[in-house]
Amino acid sequence: MIDDLRTPRRALERLIDGNGRFTSDAATVGDITHHRRLQIAREQRPFATLVGCSDSRVGPEQLFGSGLGELFIVRNAGNTVGDHALGSIEYSVAMLGVPLVVVLGHERCGAVLAALDMLQHGTVSPGAIGSLVDAIIPAIAPVVDDVADADQLVANAVRANIRATVAQLRTSPEPIIQQPRSDGELWIVGAYYDLTSGHVDFFDLEHDG
């Protein structure tokens, strides 16, 4: 099955289909059998890289009904991309041939809420959390005064943070990212997960040339 998902469009369709089953309570667990473990023990061929938040409610394999060896996961609070995360993403593209990178944020993200709290009230986060918040602030600062509704503000900020990470990856100077994008072999897209409905909204999409 995985070999049938080596184009960006097919990989995206597979994620959309898997999330559709998840939201309809018809979710199926991907292949996690002993046979599958043996099959991928010496080689992995994931069809997508998920750059997601560490939030316990947002497990990519569950949201998309994926099994062992299907998704390459890079997670940290706030789905930001520093040097180590970037290296992991580049590895998945250059070494594993992943055709799709998805930056997955979610409703009521705690890291984004902390960044909003810093911008609006000057609240300083303790320890290394502060550096994580600092990475998010430039992305969300332009939307802080857009709306009065608190829930909508958070949603807008989450999406702005996703878009910023997508843009960061798309403008990477590394040929191992840019060459497959130029050849139409790699898409980098954004996605927003609704905690209540379970629906993943894909946006900031790329298209076939």
Side-chain angles (χ1 to χ4, degrees):
M1 180 191 72
I2 301 301
D3 286 340
D4 294 335
L5 302 174
R6 304 312 295 182
T7 68
R9 181 171 296 281
R10 286 288 294 114
L12 181 59
E13 289 171 350
R14 166 65 178 80
L15 293 178
I16 293 171
D17 179 66
N19 182 243
R21 293 195 304 273
F22 176 75
T23 58
S24 64
D25 288 337
T28 55
V29 177
D31 193 345
I32 57 173
T33 62
H34 175 68
H35 173 75
R36 179 61 176 163
R37 293 197 302 273
L38 292 177
Q39 186 180 44
I40 64 173
R42 294 186 178 277
E43 181 184 23
Q44 61 170 319
R45 286 178 59 80
F47 69 84
T49 293
L50 267 292
V51 183
C53 182
S54 297
D55 193 295
S56 62
R57 300 165 293 181
V58 192
E61 289 92 346
Q62 288 78 40
L63 304 189
F64 301 111
S66 298
L68 291 172
E70 294 189 338
L71 299 179
F72 190 90
I73 310 296
V74 180
R75 296 180 74 177
N76 60 63
N79 45 269
T80 57
V81 171
D83 287 345
H84 291 138
L86 180 58
S88 297
I89 296 163
E90 290 176 352
Y91 175 84
S92 73
V93 174
M95 304 301 179
L96 305 179
V98 166
L100 178 68
V101 175
V102 178
V103 179
L104 176 66
H106 66 93
E107 180 186 16
R108 295 194 293 273
C109 176
V112 172
L113 284 168
L116 282 170
D117 205 22
M118 173 62 184
L119 283 171
Q120 294 178 310
H121 309 294
T123 305
V124 177
S125 298
I129 300 172
S131 63
L132 184 150
V133 169
D134 288 344
I136 296 172
I137 285 175
I140 70 171
V143 306
V144 168
D145 298 322
D146 282 355
V147 293
D149 180 78
D151 289 339
Q152 189 60 54
L153 171 59
V154 176
N156 289 355
V158 169
R159 286 180 180 266
N161 187 46
I162 295 167
R163 287 192 178 94
T165 302
V166 169
Q168 175 189 353
L169 296 176
R170 286 180 178 173
T171 57
S172 167
E174 288 296 331
I176 56 178
I177 294 289
Q178 292 306 326
Q179 190 60 55
R181 287 194 69 234
S182 297
D183 294 340
E185 297 173 352
L186 173 68
W187 287 357
I188 302 171
V189 305
Y192 178 92
Y193 174 61
D194 187 292
L195 293 170
T196 304
S197 71
H199 175 69
V200 175
D201 173 35
F202 289 91
F203 66 99
D204 205 352
L205 300 179
E206 302 204 77
H207 302 283
D208 297 316

